Amino acid sequence: MLGELHELLVRHYVKDRIEQTIEFKPLPRLETTLRKIEPVFTEITASSKVLNRPDELTATFTSLLENGKELLVECLSVGEWSLLEKQNYANKLIHFDDELLRFFQIDLQAILLSSNLRILSGVNGLVDRGGSSGFSGCCSVPGLPEFTIGLDQHVKELKCNVLKDETRVLAVSAPEGFGKTTLVKKLCHDDHIKGIFGDNILYVTVSTETSLKSIARNLFKHYDINDFDFTSEEDAKNQIENLIKQKGSGKMLLVLDDVWPSTASVIQDLKFQLPGYKILVTTRFSFPQCDSMYKLSFLKPEYAKPLFCRSVFPSDQNPMYNVRDDFVNRVVEFCKGIPLALTVVGASLRGQAEDTWISTLKI
């Protein structure tokens, strides 16, 4: 895919048109980025197979490249004298180049760190991600973790975005472990949001194989409707729309948690033109079906250490018992402000001797 994108870029622009079209100045910059990242990504992909890392790495990057390929194909259709359209696509190319750089500078590190943490700490047993089986019970909003920190400002910003009249589908985007799901849960439990949407906040955890039929079944069960039958995906879509019209006479917020490229079509299928109806998505990817994107970044340093200490030190003990403060600071720095890393590494170091801390710092 990377080579295909590079070839498309070089064949159609860098060699043929870039020297003649000033509006496409971002293209040489994009080609340079592709040349730099190709050997890095090739090496990482090969090592991922050997180390049995999850497919998230290639899935995330492939999704990004697919979007870039579509953008370049669209550029081919721009007329020679369409200066305004050329400028518009030039801005999109700059944005795509920024996304590529972000992937390698931020997202990739987070994915690899998260992968290492699974191996180190058995993260699958410590963290309930809830996405492997598709759904859990009805569509009520799950409870919040016992302790959260550093999300209040994000909740305020996300709330403003959700409540904008023009917002229909909003995505919260970040690599695994950044707290997307916790942020969205916190928003759903916000008194202001509950006051607006009432009982019509529906929460669906999407797996890599979720279908409209499975979504429909859980939505109907949520409203205690057990007499239903869906003859096809299209029928399920139509019945979901009718259900939302019936139950969401005021306002409705549908949360689709952990959407992957293989099930991205459910976003479009559930994008009904109904007043007061909004969709909030959490994902590690970027989807054109979403009207806007809220990118969740690393946890700030002033929040990272308290979250780590909450995980590693029992609440009834002195936070600094038998552990040097510089060890704590170095492990917190090692976790790079990723909430999942801070909590998992903290749990793995609880009650451990100094040599275990040293071993962790050498990873």
PDB file of all heavy atoms in Angstrom, residues 144-145 148 150-159 171-174 178-190 203 255 257 280-282 294-297:
ATOM      1  N   LEU A 144     -18.164   4.400  35.384  1.00  0.00           N
ATOM      2  CA  LEU A 144     -16.833   4.978  35.266  1.00  0.00           C
ATOM      3  C   LEU A 144     -15.832   4.221  36.131  1.00  0.00           C
ATOM      4  O   LEU A 144     -16.213   3.602  37.126  1.00  0.00           O
ATOM      5  CB  LEU A 144     -16.861   6.434  35.716  1.00  0.00           C
ATOM      6  CG  LEU A 144     -17.480   7.445  34.749  1.00  0.00           C
ATOM      7  CD1 LEU A 144     -17.680   8.780  35.448  1.00  0.00           C
ATOM      8  CD2 LEU A 144     -16.598   7.624  33.525  1.00  0.00           C
ATOM      9  N   PRO A 145     -14.544   4.260  35.770  1.00  0.00           N
ATOM     10  CA  PRO A 145     -13.517   3.703  36.653  1.00  0.00           C
ATOM     11  C   PRO A 145     -13.548   4.414  38.002  1.00  0.00           C
ATOM     12  O   PRO A 145     -14.049   5.538  38.120  1.00  0.00           O
ATOM     13  CB  PRO A 145     -12.209   4.004  35.906  1.00  0.00           C
ATOM     14  CG  PRO A 145     -12.609   4.211  34.483  1.00  0.00           C
ATOM     15  CD  PRO A 145     -13.983   4.793  34.520  1.00  0.00           C
ATOM     16  N   THR A 148     -10.415   8.720  37.966  1.00  0.00           N
ATOM     17  CA  THR A 148     -10.032   9.346  36.698  1.00  0.00           C
ATOM     18  C   THR A 148      -9.391  10.686  37.012  1.00  0.00           C
ATOM     19  O   THR A 148      -9.708  11.324  38.024  1.00  0.00           O
ATOM     20  CB  THR A 148     -11.250   9.564  35.773  1.00  0.00           C
ATOM     21  OG1 THR A 148     -12.170  10.467  36.402  1.00  0.00           O
ATOM     22  CG2 THR A 148     -11.942   8.249  35.463  1.00  0.00           C
ATOM     23  N   GLY A 150      -7.451  14.317  34.941  1.00  0.00           N
ATOM     24  CA  GLY A 150      -6.979  15.013  33.750  1.00  0.00           C
ATOM     25  C   GLY A 150      -7.957  15.050  32.595  1.00  0.00           C
ATOM     26  O   GLY A 150      -7.566  15.412  31.483  1.00  0.00           O
ATOM     27  N   LEU A 151      -9.227  14.704  32.820  1.00  0.00           N
ATOM     28  CA  LEU A 151     -10.203  14.650  31.730  1.00  0.00           C
ATOM     29  C   LEU A 151     -11.236  15.773  31.772  1.00  0.00           C
ATOM     30  O   LEU A 151     -12.024  15.922  30.836  1.00  0.00           O
ATOM     31  CB  LEU A 151     -10.935  13.301  31.742  1.00  0.00           C
ATOM     32  CG  LEU A 151     -10.103  12.069  31.396  1.00  0.00           C
ATOM     33  CD1 LEU A 151     -10.966  10.807  31.512  1.00  0.00           C
ATOM     34  CD2 LEU A 151      -9.533  12.179  29.987  1.00  0.00           C
ATOM     35  N   ASP A 152     -11.251  16.562  32.832  1.00  0.00           N
ATOM     36  CA  ASP A 152     -12.304  17.569  32.982  1.00  0.00           C
ATOM     37  C   ASP A 152     -12.333  18.570  31.824  1.00  0.00           C
ATOM     38  O   ASP A 152     -13.400  18.894  31.295  1.00  0.00           O
ATOM     39  CB  ASP A 152     -12.138  18.316  34.309  1.00  0.00           C
ATOM     40  CG  ASP A 152     -12.461  17.434  35.514  1.00  0.00           C
ATOM     41  OD1 ASP A 152     -13.081  16.368  35.306  1.00  0.00           O
ATOM     42  OD2 ASP A 152     -12.096  17.801  36.643  1.00  0.00           O
ATOM     43  N   GLN A 153     -11.162  19.060  31.428  1.00  0.00           N
ATOM     44  CA  GLN A 153     -11.117  20.022  30.325  1.00  0.00           C
ATOM     45  C   GLN A 153     -11.543  19.361  29.018  1.00  0.00           C
ATOM     46  O   GLN A 153     -12.247  19.976  28.195  1.00  0.00           O
ATOM     47  CB  GLN A 153      -9.700  20.609  30.184  1.00  0.00           C
ATOM     48  CG  GLN A 153      -9.572  21.683  29.111  1.00  0.00           C
ATOM     49  CD  GLN A 153     -10.481  22.878  29.368  1.00  0.00           C
ATOM     50  OE1 GLN A 153     -10.695  23.266  30.521  1.00  0.00           O
ATOM     51  NE2 GLN A 153     -11.004  23.468  28.306  1.00  0.00           N
ATOM     52  N   HIS A 154     -11.131  18.105  28.823  1.00  0.00           N
ATOM     53  CA  HIS A 154     -11.543  17.382  27.613  1.00  0.00           C
ATOM     54  C   HIS A 154     -13.067  17.207  27.582  1.00  0.00           C
ATOM     55  O   HIS A 154     -13.689  17.308  26.528  1.00  0.00           O
ATOM     56  CB  HIS A 154     -10.864  16.017  27.557  1.00  0.00           C
ATOM     57  CG  HIS A 154      -9.392  16.085  27.306  1.00  0.00           C
ATOM     58  ND1 HIS A 154      -8.854  16.627  26.154  1.00  0.00           N
ATOM     59  CD2 HIS A 154      -8.334  15.674  28.058  1.00  0.00           C
ATOM     60  CE1 HIS A 154      -7.540  16.552  26.202  1.00  0.00           C
ATOM     61  NE2 HIS A 154      -7.199  15.987  27.343  1.00  0.00           N
ATOM     62  N   VAL A 155     -13.662  16.933  28.749  1.00  0.00           N
ATOM     63  CA  VAL A 155     -15.123  16.773  28.810  1.00  0.00           C
ATOM     64  C   VAL A 155     -15.806  18.075  28.402  1.00  0.00           C
ATOM     65  O   VAL A 155     -16.780  18.069  27.636  1.00  0.00           O
ATOM     66  CB  VAL A 155     -15.571  16.343  30.222  1.00  0.00           C
ATOM     67  CG1 VAL A 155     -17.098  16.417  30.342  1.00  0.00           C
ATOM     68  CG2 VAL A 155     -15.105  14.926  30.520  1.00  0.00           C
ATOM     69  N   LYS A 156     -15.301  19.199  28.897  1.00  0.00           N
ATOM     70  CA  LYS A 156     -15.886  20.494  28.536  1.00  0.00           C
ATOM     71  C   LYS A 156     -15.804  20.748  27.043  1.00  0.00           C
ATOM     72  O   LYS A 156     -16.779  21.173  26.413  1.00  0.00           O
ATOM     73  CB  LYS A 156     -15.165  21.619  29.296  1.00  0.00           C
ATOM     74  CG  LYS A 156     -15.432  21.647  30.788  1.00  0.00           C
ATOM     75  CD  LYS A 156     -14.664  22.788  31.453  1.00  0.00           C
ATOM     76  CE  LYS A 156     -14.897  22.794  32.958  1.00  0.00           C
ATOM     77  NZ  LYS A 156     -14.117  23.878  33.617  1.00  0.00           N
ATOM     78  N   GLU A 157     -14.631  20.483  26.464  1.00  0.00           N
ATOM     79  CA  GLU A 157     -14.440  20.718  25.032  1.00  0.00           C
ATOM     80  C   GLU A 157     -15.299  19.774  24.202  1.00  0.00           C
ATOM     81  O   GLU A 157     -15.922  20.177  23.212  1.00  0.00           O
ATOM     82  CB  GLU A 157     -12.966  20.563  24.676  1.00  0.00           C
ATOM     83  CG  GLU A 157     -12.068  21.615  25.309  1.00  0.00           C
ATOM     84  CD  GLU A 157     -10.586  21.332  25.136  1.00  0.00           C
ATOM     85  OE1 GLU A 157     -10.239  20.248  24.583  1.00  0.00           O
ATOM     86  OE2 GLU A 157      -9.771  22.175  25.538  1.00  0.00           O
ATOM     87  N   LEU A 158     -15.332  18.512  24.612  1.00  0.00           N
ATOM     88  CA  LEU A 158     -16.112  17.525  23.875  1.00  0.00           C
ATOM     89  C   LEU A 158     -17.605  17.852  23.965  1.00  0.00           C
ATOM     90  O   LEU A 158     -18.341  17.720  22.984  1.00  0.00           O
ATOM     91  CB  LEU A 158     -15.841  16.129  24.436  1.00  0.00           C
ATOM     92  CG  LEU A 158     -16.426  14.938  23.666  1.00  0.00           C
ATOM     93  CD1 LEU A 158     -15.912  14.921  22.236  1.00  0.00           C
ATOM     94  CD2 LEU A 158     -16.088  13.630  24.369  1.00  0.00           C
ATOM     95  N   LYS A 159     -18.047  18.291  25.127  1.00  0.00           N
ATOM     96  CA  LYS A 159     -19.446  18.650  25.313  1.00  0.00           C
ATOM     97  C   LYS A 159     -19.838  19.791  24.366  1.00  0.00           C
ATOM     98  O   LYS A 159     -20.902  19.749  23.732  1.00  0.00           O
ATOM     99  CB  LYS A 159     -19.697  19.062  26.757  1.00  0.00           C
ATOM    100  CG  LYS A 159     -21.164  19.294  27.090  1.00  0.00           C
ATOM    101  CD  LYS A 159     -21.357  20.028  28.408  1.00  0.00           C
ATOM    102  CE  LYS A 159     -20.667  19.339  29.561  1.00  0.00           C
ATOM    103  NZ  LYS A 159     -20.943  20.014  30.859  1.00  0.00           N
ATOM    104  N   ALA A 171     -16.252  12.166  16.183  1.00  0.00           N
ATOM    105  CA  ALA A 171     -15.370  11.061  16.555  1.00  0.00           C
ATOM    106  C   ALA A 171     -14.311  11.524  17.543  1.00  0.00           C
ATOM    107  O   ALA A 171     -13.706  12.583  17.369  1.00  0.00           O
ATOM    108  CB  ALA A 171     -14.704  10.469  15.315  1.00  0.00           C
ATOM    109  N   VAL A 172     -14.088  10.726  18.588  1.00  0.00           N
ATOM    110  CA  VAL A 172     -12.961  10.928  19.499  1.00  0.00           C
ATOM    111  C   VAL A 172     -11.869   9.968  19.043  1.00  0.00           C
ATOM    112  O   VAL A 172     -12.051   8.752  19.062  1.00  0.00           O
ATOM    113  CB  VAL A 172     -13.354  10.639  20.961  1.00  0.00           C
ATOM    114  CG1 VAL A 172     -12.135  10.791  21.874  1.00  0.00           C
ATOM    115  CG2 VAL A 172     -14.470  11.571  21.403  1.00  0.00           C
ATOM    116  N   SER A 173     -10.740  10.521  18.632  1.00  0.00           N
ATOM    117  CA  SER A 173      -9.688   9.708  18.016  1.00  0.00           C
ATOM    118  C   SER A 173      -8.394   9.762  18.834  1.00  0.00           C
ATOM    119  O   SER A 173      -7.978  10.825  19.294  1.00  0.00           O
ATOM    120  CB  SER A 173      -9.413  10.209  16.597  1.00  0.00           C
ATOM    121  OG  SER A 173      -8.299   9.550  16.023  1.00  0.00           O
ATOM    122  N   ALA A 174      -7.778   8.600  19.001  1.00  0.00           N
ATOM    123  CA  ALA A 174      -6.480   8.489  19.681  1.00  0.00           C
ATOM    124  C   ALA A 174      -6.031   7.035  19.595  1.00  0.00           C
ATOM    125  O   ALA A 174      -6.847   6.135  19.376  1.00  0.00           O
ATOM    126  CB  ALA A 174      -6.575   8.923  21.146  1.00  0.00           C
ATOM    127  N   PHE A 178      -5.210   5.706  25.378  1.00  0.00           N
ATOM    128  CA  PHE A 178      -5.202   7.139  25.672  1.00  0.00           C
ATOM    129  C   PHE A 178      -6.416   7.591  26.481  1.00  0.00           C
ATOM    130  O   PHE A 178      -6.481   8.732  26.916  1.00  0.00           O
ATOM    131  CB  PHE A 178      -5.133   7.941  24.370  1.00  0.00           C
ATOM    132  CG  PHE A 178      -3.733   8.165  23.866  1.00  0.00           C
ATOM    133  CD1 PHE A 178      -2.864   7.109  23.660  1.00  0.00           C
ATOM    134  CD2 PHE A 178      -3.278   9.442  23.588  1.00  0.00           C
ATOM    135  CE1 PHE A 178      -1.580   7.304  23.195  1.00  0.00           C
ATOM    136  CE2 PHE A 178      -1.999   9.661  23.121  1.00  0.00           C
ATOM    137  CZ  PHE A 178      -1.138   8.591  22.926  1.00  0.00           C
ATOM    138  N   GLY A 179      -7.399   6.717  26.665  1.00  0.00           N
ATOM    139  CA  GLY A 179      -8.545   7.076  27.497  1.00  0.00           C
ATOM    140  C   GLY A 179      -9.757   7.543  26.733  1.00  0.00           C
ATOM    141  O   GLY A 179     -10.612   8.244  27.293  1.00  0.00           O
ATOM    142  N   LYS A 180      -9.880   7.158  25.456  1.00  0.00           N
ATOM    143  CA  LYS A 180     -11.040   7.577  24.646  1.00  0.00           C
ATOM    144  C   LYS A 180     -12.347   7.115  25.277  1.00  0.00           C
ATOM    145  O   LYS A 180     -13.298   7.897  25.426  1.00  0.00           O
ATOM    146  CB  LYS A 180     -10.935   6.995  23.228  1.00  0.00           C
ATOM    147  CG  LYS A 180      -9.694   7.348  22.452  1.00  0.00           C
ATOM    148  CD  LYS A 180      -9.712   6.749  21.056  1.00  0.00           C
ATOM    149  CE  LYS A 180      -9.676   5.235  21.046  1.00  0.00           C
ATOM    150  NZ  LYS A 180      -8.434   4.679  21.606  1.00  0.00           N
ATOM    151  N   THR A 181     -12.404   5.832  25.617  1.00  0.00           N
ATOM    152  CA  THR A 181     -13.630   5.267  26.173  1.00  0.00           C
ATOM    153  C   THR A 181     -13.970   5.893  27.520  1.00  0.00           C
ATOM    154  O   THR A 181     -15.131   6.225  27.784  1.00  0.00           O
ATOM    155  CB  THR A 181     -13.492   3.737  26.310  1.00  0.00           C
ATOM    156  OG1 THR A 181     -13.355   3.161  25.005  1.00  0.00           O
ATOM    157  CG2 THR A 181     -14.714   3.138  26.985  1.00  0.00           C
ATOM    158  N   THR A 182     -12.961   6.087  28.369  1.00  0.00           N
ATOM    159  CA  THR A 182     -13.201   6.708  29.670  1.00  0.00           C
ATOM    160  C   THR A 182     -13.722   8.128  29.498  1.00  0.00           C
ATOM    161  O   THR A 182     -14.641   8.562  30.214  1.00  0.00           O
ATOM    162  CB  THR A 182     -11.906   6.723  30.502  1.00  0.00           C
ATOM    163  OG1 THR A 182     -11.438   5.384  30.672  1.00  0.00           O
ATOM    164  CG2 THR A 182     -12.145   7.339  31.867  1.00  0.00           C
ATOM    165  N   LEU A 183     -13.155   8.866  28.552  1.00  0.00           N
ATOM    166  CA  LEU A 183     -13.605  10.236  28.291  1.00  0.00           C
ATOM    167  C   LEU A 183     -15.070  10.261  27.874  1.00  0.00           C
ATOM    168  O   LEU A 183     -15.861  11.067  28.383  1.00  0.00           O
ATOM    169  CB  LEU A 183     -12.730  10.878  27.210  1.00  0.00           C
ATOM    170  CG  LEU A 183     -13.208  12.243  26.687  1.00  0.00           C
ATOM    171  CD1 LEU A 183     -13.245  13.266  27.819  1.00  0.00           C
ATOM    172  CD2 LEU A 183     -12.310  12.720  25.547  1.00  0.00           C
ATOM    173  N   VAL A 184     -15.438   9.371  26.957  1.00  0.00           N
ATOM    174  CA  VAL A 184     -16.808   9.353  26.466  1.00  0.00           C
ATOM    175  C   VAL A 184     -17.779   8.914  27.558  1.00  0.00           C
ATOM    176  O   VAL A 184     -18.885   9.458  27.692  1.00  0.00           O
ATOM    177  CB  VAL A 184     -16.918   8.445  25.217  1.00  0.00           C
ATOM    178  CG1 VAL A 184     -18.375   8.197  24.849  1.00  0.00           C
ATOM    179  CG2 VAL A 184     -16.183   9.088  24.045  1.00  0.00           C
ATOM    180  N   LYS A 185     -17.382   7.931  28.359  1.00  0.00           N
ATOM    181  CA  LYS A 185     -18.225   7.526  29.493  1.00  0.00           C
ATOM    182  C   LYS A 185     -18.439   8.708  30.441  1.00  0.00           C
ATOM    183  O   LYS A 185     -19.552   8.944  30.921  1.00  0.00           O
ATOM    184  CB  LYS A 185     -17.578   6.369  30.257  1.00  0.00           C
ATOM    185  CG  LYS A 185     -17.602   5.027  29.554  1.00  0.00           C
ATOM    186  CD  LYS A 185     -16.908   4.000  30.433  1.00  0.00           C
ATOM    187  CE  LYS A 185     -16.808   2.642  29.761  1.00  0.00           C
ATOM    188  NZ  LYS A 185     -16.068   1.668  30.597  1.00  0.00           N
ATOM    189  N   LYS A 186     -17.361   9.433  30.705  1.00  0.00           N
ATOM    190  CA  LYS A 186     -17.440  10.585  31.607  1.00  0.00           C
ATOM    191  C   LYS A 186     -18.385  11.643  31.038  1.00  0.00           C
ATOM    192  O   LYS A 186     -19.159  12.260  31.785  1.00  0.00           O
ATOM    193  CB  LYS A 186     -16.036  11.162  31.819  1.00  0.00           C
ATOM    194  CG  LYS A 186     -15.896  12.053  33.049  1.00  0.00           C
ATOM    195  CD  LYS A 186     -14.438  12.371  33.306  1.00  0.00           C
ATOM    196  CE  LYS A 186     -14.270  13.295  34.507  1.00  0.00           C
ATOM    197  NZ  LYS A 186     -14.682  12.674  35.773  1.00  0.00           N
ATOM    198  N   LEU A 187     -18.337  11.843  29.743  1.00  0.00           N
ATOM    199  CA  LEU A 187     -19.261  12.778  29.097  1.00  0.00           C
ATOM    200  C   LEU A 187     -20.701  12.320  29.270  1.00  0.00           C
ATOM    201  O   LEU A 187     -21.588  13.116  29.610  1.00  0.00           O
ATOM    202  CB  LEU A 187     -18.937  12.907  27.605  1.00  0.00           C
ATOM    203  CG  LEU A 187     -19.917  13.777  26.812  1.00  0.00           C
ATOM    204  CD1 LEU A 187     -19.598  15.253  27.000  1.00  0.00           C
ATOM    205  CD2 LEU A 187     -19.911  13.417  25.330  1.00  0.00           C
ATOM    206  N   CYS A 188     -20.945  11.028  29.043  1.00  0.00           N
ATOM    207  CA  CYS A 188     -22.306  10.497  29.138  1.00  0.00           C
ATOM    208  C   CYS A 188     -22.862  10.588  30.556  1.00  0.00           C
ATOM    209  O   CYS A 188     -24.079  10.663  30.742  1.00  0.00           O
ATOM    210  CB  CYS A 188     -22.338   9.044  28.660  1.00  0.00           C
ATOM    211  SG  CYS A 188     -22.034   8.848  26.888  1.00  0.00           S
ATOM    212  N   HIS A 189     -21.970  10.577  31.557  1.00  0.00           N
ATOM    213  CA  HIS A 189     -22.404  10.684  32.951  1.00  0.00           C
ATOM    214  C   HIS A 189     -22.485  12.136  33.415  1.00  0.00           C
ATOM    215  O   HIS A 189     -22.866  12.394  34.562  1.00  0.00           O
ATOM    216  CB  HIS A 189     -21.454   9.907  33.862  1.00  0.00           C
ATOM    217  CG  HIS A 189     -21.657   8.429  33.820  1.00  0.00           C
ATOM    218  ND1 HIS A 189     -22.673   7.787  34.499  1.00  0.00           N
ATOM    219  CD2 HIS A 189     -20.968   7.437  33.163  1.00  0.00           C
ATOM    220  CE1 HIS A 189     -22.605   6.473  34.278  1.00  0.00           C
ATOM    221  NE2 HIS A 189     -21.584   6.239  33.465  1.00  0.00           N
ATOM    222  N   ASP A 190     -22.122  13.063  32.537  1.00  0.00           N
ATOM    223  CA  ASP A 190     -22.180  14.481  32.879  1.00  0.00           C
ATOM    224  C   ASP A 190     -23.638  14.908  33.090  1.00  0.00           C
ATOM    225  O   ASP A 190     -24.527  14.580  32.294  1.00  0.00           O
ATOM    226  CB  ASP A 190     -21.552  15.308  31.752  1.00  0.00           C
ATOM    227  CG  ASP A 190     -21.586  16.788  32.023  1.00  0.00           C
ATOM    228  OD1 ASP A 190     -20.694  17.288  32.723  1.00  0.00           O
ATOM    229  OD2 ASP A 190     -22.535  17.449  31.535  1.00  0.00           O
ATOM    230  N   TYR A 203     -25.410   3.278  24.368  1.00  0.00           N
ATOM    231  CA  TYR A 203     -23.975   2.974  24.304  1.00  0.00           C
ATOM    232  C   TYR A 203     -23.771   1.591  23.692  1.00  0.00           C
ATOM    233  O   TYR A 203     -24.223   0.587  24.231  1.00  0.00           O
ATOM    234  CB  TYR A 203     -23.393   3.007  25.715  1.00  0.00           C
ATOM    235  CG  TYR A 203     -21.889   3.066  25.776  1.00  0.00           C
ATOM    236  CD1 TYR A 203     -21.236   4.260  26.000  1.00  0.00           C
ATOM    237  CD2 TYR A 203     -21.124   1.912  25.620  1.00  0.00           C
ATOM    238  CE1 TYR A 203     -19.843   4.319  26.079  1.00  0.00           C
ATOM    239  CE2 TYR A 203     -19.751   1.954  25.685  1.00  0.00           C
ATOM    240  CZ  TYR A 203     -19.113   3.163  25.920  1.00  0.00           C
ATOM    241  OH  TYR A 203     -17.743   3.209  25.982  1.00  0.00           O
ATOM    242  N   VAL A 255     -23.729   6.312  21.158  1.00  0.00           N
ATOM    243  CA  VAL A 255     -22.280   6.156  21.261  1.00  0.00           C
ATOM    244  C   VAL A 255     -21.865   4.844  20.608  1.00  0.00           C
ATOM    245  O   VAL A 255     -22.406   3.781  20.935  1.00  0.00           O
ATOM    246  CB  VAL A 255     -21.820   6.162  22.737  1.00  0.00           C
ATOM    247  CG1 VAL A 255     -20.313   5.925  22.825  1.00  0.00           C
ATOM    248  CG2 VAL A 255     -22.198   7.478  23.408  1.00  0.00           C
ATOM    249  N   ASP A 257     -18.616   2.750  20.385  1.00  0.00           N
ATOM    250  CA  ASP A 257     -17.303   2.682  21.008  1.00  0.00           C
ATOM    251  C   ASP A 257     -16.381   1.698  20.299  1.00  0.00           C
ATOM    252  O   ASP A 257     -16.746   0.547  20.066  1.00  0.00           O
ATOM    253  CB  ASP A 257     -17.468   2.269  22.483  1.00  0.00           C
ATOM    254  CG  ASP A 257     -16.166   2.329  23.259  1.00  0.00           C
ATOM    255  OD1 ASP A 257     -15.292   3.133  22.890  1.00  0.00           O
ATOM    256  OD2 ASP A 257     -16.012   1.561  24.225  1.00  0.00           O
ATOM    257  N   LEU A 280     -21.790   9.694  18.572  1.00  0.00           N
ATOM    258  CA  LEU A 280     -20.453   9.937  19.111  1.00  0.00           C
ATOM    259  C   LEU A 280     -19.640   8.657  18.974  1.00  0.00           C
ATOM    260  O   LEU A 280     -20.043   7.603  19.474  1.00  0.00           O
ATOM    261  CB  LEU A 280     -20.543  10.354  20.575  1.00  0.00           C
ATOM    262  CG  LEU A 280     -19.233  10.692  21.302  1.00  0.00           C
ATOM    263  CD1 LEU A 280     -18.490  11.814  20.595  1.00  0.00           C
ATOM    264  CD2 LEU A 280     -19.503  11.066  22.758  1.00  0.00           C
ATOM    265  N   VAL A 281     -18.517   8.732  18.265  1.00  0.00           N
ATOM    266  CA  VAL A 281     -17.695   7.564  17.931  1.00  0.00           C
ATOM    267  C   VAL A 281     -16.362   7.634  18.668  1.00  0.00           C
ATOM    268  O   VAL A 281     -15.774   8.706  18.792  1.00  0.00           O
ATOM    269  CB  VAL A 281     -17.436   7.510  16.407  1.00  0.00           C
ATOM    270  CG1 VAL A 281     -16.489   6.363  16.050  1.00  0.00           C
ATOM    271  CG2 VAL A 281     -18.749   7.385  15.644  1.00  0.00           C
ATOM    272  N   THR A 282     -15.882   6.501  19.174  1.00  0.00           N
ATOM    273  CA  THR A 282     -14.487   6.422  19.606  1.00  0.00           C
ATOM    274  C   THR A 282     -13.764   5.488  18.648  1.00  0.00           C
ATOM    275  O   THR A 282     -14.298   4.442  18.267  1.00  0.00           O
ATOM    276  CB  THR A 282     -14.327   5.897  21.051  1.00  0.00           C
ATOM    277  OG1 THR A 282     -14.605   4.501  21.098  1.00  0.00           O
ATOM    278  CG2 THR A 282     -15.236   6.640  22.008  1.00  0.00           C
ATOM    279  N   TYR A 294     -12.325  14.856  17.307  1.00  0.00           N
ATOM    280  CA  TYR A 294     -11.713  15.384  18.527  1.00  0.00           C
ATOM    281  C   TYR A 294     -10.546  14.469  18.865  1.00  0.00           C
ATOM    282  O   TYR A 294     -10.747  13.299  19.198  1.00  0.00           O
ATOM    283  CB  TYR A 294     -12.719  15.426  19.676  1.00  0.00           C
ATOM    284  CG  TYR A 294     -12.163  16.036  20.940  1.00  0.00           C
ATOM    285  CD1 TYR A 294     -12.219  17.408  21.148  1.00  0.00           C
ATOM    286  CD2 TYR A 294     -11.573  15.241  21.926  1.00  0.00           C
ATOM    287  CE1 TYR A 294     -11.696  17.981  22.308  1.00  0.00           C
ATOM    288  CE2 TYR A 294     -11.050  15.803  23.083  1.00  0.00           C
ATOM    289  CZ  TYR A 294     -11.111  17.169  23.265  1.00  0.00           C
ATOM    290  OH  TYR A 294     -10.590  17.730  24.403  1.00  0.00           O
ATOM    291  N   LYS A 295      -9.326  14.989  18.784  1.00  0.00           N
ATOM    292  CA  LYS A 295      -8.140  14.166  19.010  1.00  0.00           C
ATOM    293  C   LYS A 295      -7.684  14.280  20.468  1.00  0.00           C
ATOM    294  O   LYS A 295      -7.386  15.371  20.951  1.00  0.00           O
ATOM    295  CB  LYS A 295      -7.023  14.579  18.054  1.00  0.00           C
ATOM    296  CG  LYS A 295      -7.322  14.218  16.605  1.00  0.00           C
ATOM    297  CD  LYS A 295      -6.131  14.411  15.710  1.00  0.00           C
ATOM    298  CE  LYS A 295      -6.430  13.943  14.292  1.00  0.00           C
ATOM    299  NZ  LYS A 295      -5.275  14.087  13.370  1.00  0.00           N
ATOM    300  N   LEU A 296      -7.662  13.140  21.122  1.00  0.00           N
ATOM    301  CA  LEU A 296      -7.232  13.062  22.513  1.00  0.00           C
ATOM    302  C   LEU A 296      -5.731  12.822  22.551  1.00  0.00           C
ATOM    303  O   LEU A 296      -5.228  11.894  21.914  1.00  0.00           O
ATOM    304  CB  LEU A 296      -7.981  11.932  23.221  1.00  0.00           C
ATOM    305  CG  LEU A 296      -7.801  11.802  24.726  1.00  0.00           C
ATOM    306  CD1 LEU A 296      -8.256  13.073  25.432  1.00  0.00           C
ATOM    307  CD2 LEU A 296      -8.582  10.596  25.237  1.00  0.00           C
ATOM    308  N   SER A 297      -5.009  13.643  23.285  1.00  0.00           N
ATOM    309  CA  SER A 297      -3.550  13.556  23.316  1.00  0.00           C
ATOM    310  C   SER A 297      -3.067  12.948  24.625  1.00  0.00           C
ATOM    311  O   SER A 297      -3.854  12.451  25.425  1.00  0.00           O
ATOM    312  CB  SER A 297      -2.945  14.953  23.114  1.00  0.00           C
ATOM    313  OG  SER A 297      -1.550  14.860  22.914  1.00  0.00           O
TER     314      SER A 297
END
